[in-house]
Amino acid sequence: MPNMLRLIDRTLGKWLRHFFFAIVRTYFSLFYNVSCSGKHLLQDTQGALILATHVSRFDGPLIAAILYTTQRIRPVVHYKEYYNWMQWFPMLVARAIPVSSPKSWPAEKRQAQKEASMQRILSALDSGESILLFPSGHTRQQEPEVIAPHLSGAQDILQANPDSPVLLLRLDGLGQFQPARYDYFWTFIGRSKGRRHISVDIKTVDDLDPGIDLAAFNKDLEDRLNTPIRDSF
């Protein structure tokens, strides 16, 4: 059965990913002016953990479209997002990895689900695929990125696989709490606003310490994600 699934993923799945890529990339090209710096850092990096800011519900599709031609990216998503009937099929094609579980489940079942999700993440990293994780766990409800002290996803992955390369990805210009700037792409039809400017900045980090206290780890990661990457070199 696993071999059959892998075959389907490499054939039909590959064609479907190209199809979705064409649709998503066309949409963002028409309505957003996107720039990406540091994309080359992913070019020769295998099995990277990409830790990203989460500024809007478009973050996942945008990042997937921008990085699609560079490397295979496996997004980690909340189970409610994964099993939403409107999103389930694209999530399946993208081989997204659902995490968390209903609080109504027994503790043993929730722990088993957590371990299964972690194993899928580690297997993807070991096979050279990169994992996209939003450490805050939800879209931004305020101007800065906030990672709750109890969220352990990023630390758990790095403790289990400390040799994974780590990339920080910062999105600017897309969220409701970020400045909205536009070009003049659509002015020929009388619209005063054109495409919204978005910047995607990627940086390699090699000094995150997953061995420290969880709250301290999250605060360190939070500070890094809130520091403009261009200012952190």
Side-chain angles (χ1 to χ4, degrees):
M1 187 64 176
N3 291 334
M4 179 61 69
L5 291 176
R6 281 194 289 269
L7 177 62
I8 294 173
D9 178 67
R10 293 170 183 171
T11 53
L12 179 61
K14 184 176 182 179
W15 282 100
L16 286 171
R17 282 191 292 276
H18 277 285
F19 174 72
F20 285 127
F21 163 74
I23 292 177
V24 174
R25 193 62 177 264
T26 299
Y27 171 80
F28 281 109
S29 296
L30 288 173
F31 299 104
Y32 297 91
N33 186 356
V34 184
S35 65
C36 182
S37 68
K39 188 177 178 180
H40 64 284
L41 298 173
L42 188 61
Q43 194 77 45
D44 300 318
T45 302
Q46 299 294 316
L49 175 61
I50 304 171
L51 303 175
T53 56
H54 203 355
V55 301
S56 82
R57 60 190 178 90
F58 294 114
D59 296 351
L62 172 64
I63 295 171
I66 291 297
L67 301 181
Y68 178 78
T69 56
T70 305
Q71 193 184 120
R72 180 74 180 272
I73 306 296
R74 300 279 301 277
V76 174
V77 299
H78 194 272
Y79 77 94
K80 289 183 178 179
E81 296 290 328
Y82 185 91
Y83 292 108
N84 182 298
W85 70 271
M86 294 182 65
Q87 301 178 159
W88 174 80
F89 187 65
M91 293 282 190
L92 177 67
V93 172
R95 293 188 69 201
I97 301 175
V99 294
S100 192
S101 56
K103 294 182 179 180
S104 59
W105 284 10
E108 297 80 4
K109 186 176 181 180
R110 297 196 70 192
Q111 180 61 29
Q113 179 65 29
K114 180 178 180 179
E115 292 174 0
S117 296
M118 178 61 67
Q119 186 55 52
R120 292 181 66 185
I121 291 171
L122 296 178
S123 295
L125 292 172
D126 289 341
S127 66
E129 297 172 331
S130 290
I131 293 294
L132 171 64
L133 177 71
F134 299 103
S136 62
H138 56 76
T139 55
R140 203 176 279 187
Q141 306 298 317
Q142 62 288 311
E143 185 174 353
E145 192 80 4
V146 174
I147 304 175
H150 68 278
L151 294 178
S152 62
Q155 187 185 55
D156 288 344
I157 295 172
L158 290 176
Q159 285 181 342
N161 199 339
D163 295 328
S164 293
V166 179
L167 301 176
L168 295 187
L169 187 151
R170 180 185 170 93
L171 273 166
D172 280 310
L174 184 60
Q176 63 172 318
F177 298 101
Q178 297 179 324
R181 300 183 178 87
Y182 298 85
D183 62 18
Y184 299 103
F185 185 82
W186 291 108
T187 53
F188 71 96
I189 60 173
R191 287 190 58 179
S192 59
K193 292 182 179 179
R195 299 174 302 177
R196 184 167 176 171
H197 289 286
I198 300 172
S199 66
V200 179
D201 297 300
I202 302 172
K203 177 193 176 186
T204 301
V205 294
D206 55 11
D207 56 350
L208 274 176
D209 183 4
I212 63 176
D213 174 74
L214 175 59
F217 175 86
N218 283 349
K219 184 63 173 64
D220 180 28
L221 180 56
E222 179 184 290
D223 290 341
R224 293 170 187 261
L225 290 174
N226 282 314
T227 301
I229 288 178
R230 292 187 183 91
D231 297 339
S232 61
F233 288 101

